[in-house]
Amino acid sequence: MLGGVALVGQIDRGDVHIVIVEDDPRIAAFLSKGLRAEGYVTTVLHDGQQAMREVVRLGDDVDLVLLDLGLPKIDGHELLQTWRQRKFEKPVILLTARDDIREKVRGLDGGANDYVTKPFHFSELLARIRAALRSKDQAASTLLEVEDLRLDLVTKIAYRADRRVELAPREWALLELFMRHPRQVLSRTQILSHVWDYSFDPGSNVVDVYVGYLRKKINRPGLKPMLQTVRGAGYRLIQP
Ligand code: CA
């Protein structure tokens, strides 16, 4: 996620954001530290009430939730049920304290994708996270659409208002980044790190140059101009 949650170090898996809902501070810290070391971005939430509010607010900025079942104020089952009713469809992996089959069945029936029983091996948790993220990608993300812009991630063809747009590889990567964060302001540094892997000096104007190329290609006469400059901050694809 960009904005709101600190990006820690260089993230080489893109920016996969995992929300950890866990009231035990030691387990939460262990999970967060371990996942960050694997290149994930993490947010830790300690109680049910906070998690109810934050996960719905973050919405599409969350890629996966690790959810402890035994939580103060609102328990994990109730959280999951409410999120699913509110159309939060990202993968949720339950962390269960007991090896209780009824708890697991109830969780899976309530919309969880998977579970691990504490204490667990970190390598197993990582494998389950990768599996849950893979199945989500296969189901949902062969096509990116923002208003009349469309990127077909399989055929690598871009369209604006149903007309094909020819993009060079960097332009494609830049447009894909904007379309994955359609209403967010992306700073030049964020764009550089995603599209150019820090191989350019942050003082270089390569981002501005490429945003210029991209604008010429996607903003045909008669169409709503996209890719706004936000003075002193960066660029965003569309108005929030
Ligand atoms: Ca707990």
Side-chain angles (χ1 to χ4, degrees), residues 69 77 80 92-119 124 128:
L69 282 176
H77 289 298
L80 181 61
V92 174
I93 298 178
L94 302 177
L95 308 174
T96 68
R98 286 162 302 151
D99 201 4
D100 181 339
I101 198 72
R102 282 165 308 176
E103 286 278 280
K104 291 170 185 170
V105 169
R106 188 176 163 207
L108 292 170
D109 283 346
N113 300 67
D114 203 353
Y115 59 82
V116 290
T117 306
K118 293 187 258 187
E124 184 191 352
R128 289 182 183 276

Side-chain angles (χ1 to χ4, degrees), residues 22-24 68-72 118:
E22 168 62 77
D23 60 314
D24 183 323
D68 179 28
L69 282 176
L71 290 166
K118 293 187 258 187

Side-chain angles (χ1 to χ4, degrees), residues 79-94:
L79 281 176
L80 181 61
Q81 194 185 10
T82 311
W83 292 338
R84 293 312 191 208
Q85 280 165 358
R86 295 188 190 173
K87 301 290 168 224
F88 175 80
E89 282 160 0
K90 298 303 171 79
V92 174
I93 298 178
L94 302 177

